[in-house]
Amino acid sequence: MVLRAPAPSRPSTPSQCRILGIQPWPLYTAHTIAAIEVSHSLLTYVRSLTMASSSSSMSSGDAATLRQKRIFASKLYFDVSPTKVPLIYSPAYDIAFLGIEKLHPFDSSKWGRVCQFLISAGVLDKKRIVEPIEASKDDLLVVHSEAYLESLKSSPNVAMMVEVPPVAMFPNCLVQKKLLYPFRKQVGGTVLAAKLAKERGCAVNVGGGFHHCSSERGGGFCVYADISLCIHYAFARLNISRVMIIDLDAHQGNGHERDFSADKRVYILDMYNPGIYPFDYEASRYIDQKVEVMSGTTTDDYLSRLDDALEVAGRMFDPELIIYNAGTDILDGDPLGRLKISPAGIINRDEKVFRFARERTVPLVMLTSGGYMKSSARVIADSLANLSTKCLIDLKLSM
């Protein structure tokens, strides 16, 4: 998932990416841009301190023990009433930040609009949606370090991660409330989705999928590593030892790739456009099954390559849980994904992944991740409606 508009050619530095990769925004003042440039240097410095403190503060054994304690003390897992459907959403997901959110192609009300489309179509009963709990600091510390979370108390740092320059100028208390709180609610939804998927066969978090964020680095509109958190909670509390990530967002999922670079319990299938952000060549070395789809790839070619990829993945790994990062930025016309997949192709893609999991009786968690056109919300809703019609997810539980 990323909030970066397209540039005609690859920028050579992160600074150029931020400046050149912006769609028609209002002209910003010079000091706003300067604040973002300074924040980049500060964040680089904070990252270096974070890595140093993380490696020296405690032994790996002590860290693992503390992680387990935090996971078992967490309130993110709770029992969901059987009258609720396996779809997780909160109105708090939707971001309204004094109009700043309108400066981007990303639809910051996408998550709510997905649910509204489903409700209006009679596919979903509003009262049966599961609302998650906000991830607390202790929850986030399961993956993130103290130093990284401290860095989020700097508005310029957050502005750089979400790539919204004006955020740098706001008091951090407002940034926490208007921007980071919605993200923490979505993290809670992703973590809970694994528990619900194991109980029901599958679960959808209408949000999440912040796949550019790793334990020590945020970026591309991804501040918290919800996928990594979800997997660590599943390892500890669901008696799961093998997880497959199927990342079909248009962008490389470099965050979870870095987090699980040496963890053979996690198998990563990443199908992405290598010609767009994040150009993380180091992280790409940790992908178990890399499928590169170039700009301009059309629906039939994409779906054919997905069929082949799933067939290989099924032979190579036997998962006990699948995390499906279902970005819609592969849609034809998306300004960032640069692929040419039709809405029907998205619906077909999602059905293929759900059938892959169903045929193997593997619980599946779906996250909505990126998608930067207003039409994305309708496409997601139509896809979920199709999955319900095909009995691949039950959104119409009887009383």
Side-chain angles (χ1 to χ4, degrees):
M1 180 174 191
V2 61
L3 265 184
R4 191 185 298 262
S9 61
R10 179 186 169 189
S12 60
T13 68
S15 299
Q16 291 172 328
C17 285
R18 282 198 308 282
I19 295 172
L20 298 177
I22 297 174
Q23 282 202 324
W25 287 356
L27 291 175
Y28 296 127
T29 61
H31 67 275
T32 300
I33 299 299
I36 298 304
E37 294 304 317
V38 170
S39 78
H40 179 260
S41 298
L42 288 173
L43 189 55
T44 301
Y45 177 65
V46 168
R47 284 174 183 163
S48 67
L49 292 179
T50 296
M51 295 299 288
S53 64
S54 296
S55 61
S56 62
S57 59
M58 65 176 71
S59 70
S60 59
D62 290 340
T65 299
L66 183 56
R67 170 181 282 170
Q68 289 291 99
K69 287 182 178 178
R70 284 180 170 136
I71 290 174
F72 282 95
S74 174
K75 297 180 180 178
L76 293 181
Y77 272 15
F78 57 86
D79 291 332
V80 175
S81 167
T83 64
K84 299 285 189 178
V85 297
L87 185 141
I88 302 170
Y89 166 75
S90 167
Y93 283 15
D94 300 301
I95 298 171
F97 194 172
L98 305 178
I100 291 175
E101 71 280 357
K102 296 179 182 178
L103 299 176
H104 280 277
F106 184 76
D107 180 6
S108 62
S109 62
K110 176 179 77 173
W111 307 290
R113 292 176 62 238
V114 169
C115 291
Q116 193 54 56
F117 283 137
L118 290 170
I119 292 167
S120 297
V123 176
L124 179 66
D125 183 340
K126 181 179 180 179
K127 296 178 181 178
R128 298 191 177 187
I129 296 173
V130 179
E131 176 153 358
I133 294 172
E134 174 195 4
S136 69
K137 179 180 178 181
D138 269 358
D139 294 325
L140 298 170
L141 284 169
V142 166
V143 165
H144 296 295
S145 67
E146 286 270 5
Y148 177 77
L149 296 182
E150 280 295 310
S151 76
L152 300 181
K153 294 181 180 179
S154 163
S155 295
N157 283 348
V158 176
M160 198 198 76
M161 292 179 195
V162 300
E163 300 178 351
V164 184
V167 168
M169 304 175 67
F170 284 91
N172 191 256
C173 60
L174 190 60
V175 174
Q176 294 285 334
K177 179 180 179 181
K178 294 292 187 178
L179 186 58
L180 299 187
Y181 170 68
F183 289 158
R184 290 193 294 268
K185 285 285 279 190
Q186 294 191 42
V187 170
T190 298
V191 172
L192 177 61
K195 177 179 184 294
L196 194 54
K198 184 163 186 188
E199 295 168 353
R200 308 282 187 89
C202 62
V204 176
N205 181 22
V206 186
F210 304 131
H211 65 161
H212 296 309
C213 186
S214 63
S215 61
E216 303 293 355
R217 179 185 301 180
F221 204 63
C222 300
V223 177
Y224 302 114
D226 65 321
I227 293 175
S228 299
L229 283 158
C230 176
I231 291 172
H232 280 294
Y233 274 76
F235 283 155
R237 296 186 59 169
L238 298 180
N239 195 30
I240 281 172
S241 59
R242 298 184 306 279
V243 177
M244 177 182 288
I245 299 173
I246 300 178
D247 195 334
L248 301 187
D249 187 277
H251 301 83
Q252 177 194 346
N254 59 321
H256 57 71
E257 288 157 10
R258 287 178 174 273
D259 282 345
F260 297 106
S261 60
D263 196 330
K264 298 304 181 183
R265 298 174 298 174
V266 179
Y267 181 94
I268 299 173
L269 162 58
D270 197 348
M271 188 167 173
Y272 66 95
N273 183 349
I276 59 176
Y277 177 88
F279 304 109
D280 193 336
Y281 304 112
E282 179 185 348
S284 70
R285 295 191 289 112
Y286 310 132
I287 301 172
D288 298 284
Q289 190 179 340
K290 182 193 307 181
V291 182
E292 295 183 341
V293 284
M294 307 307 293
S295 296
T297 297
T298 56
T299 301
D300 289 346
D301 184 24
Y302 182 93
L303 293 177
S304 175
R305 297 194 65 186
L306 176 60
D307 284 336
D308 293 342
L310 292 175
E311 196 274 330
V312 171
R315 292 200 317 264
M316 297 296 293
F317 195 74
D318 181 24
E320 296 174 309
L321 176 68
I322 293 172
I323 309 295
Y324 173 35
N325 202 44
T328 48
D329 47 5
I330 67 170
L331 273 169
D332 187 8
D334 189 284
L336 307 189
R338 302 186 190 175
L339 302 176
K340 294 185 176 296
I341 314 307
S342 68
I346 293 279
I347 293 171
N348 198 345
R349 175 200 70 171
D350 293 349
E351 183 176 333
K352 286 177 183 292
V353 176
F354 270 72
R355 290 196 183 281
F356 174 83
R358 174 67 64 86
E359 289 166 3
R360 291 160 178 78
T361 322
V362 179
L364 179 146
V365 170
M366 176 179 174
L367 311 173
T368 58
S369 201
Y372 306 94
M373 296 192 297
K374 283 286 186 180
S375 59
S376 283
R378 169 64 76 179
V379 173
I380 295 168
D382 288 347
S383 182
L384 292 173
N386 175 66
L387 294 172
S388 180
T389 299
K390 301 288 178 63
C391 298
L392 293 169
I393 186 170
D394 192 352
L395 299 180
K396 290 186 176 182
L397 293 178
S398 57
M399 294 297 290

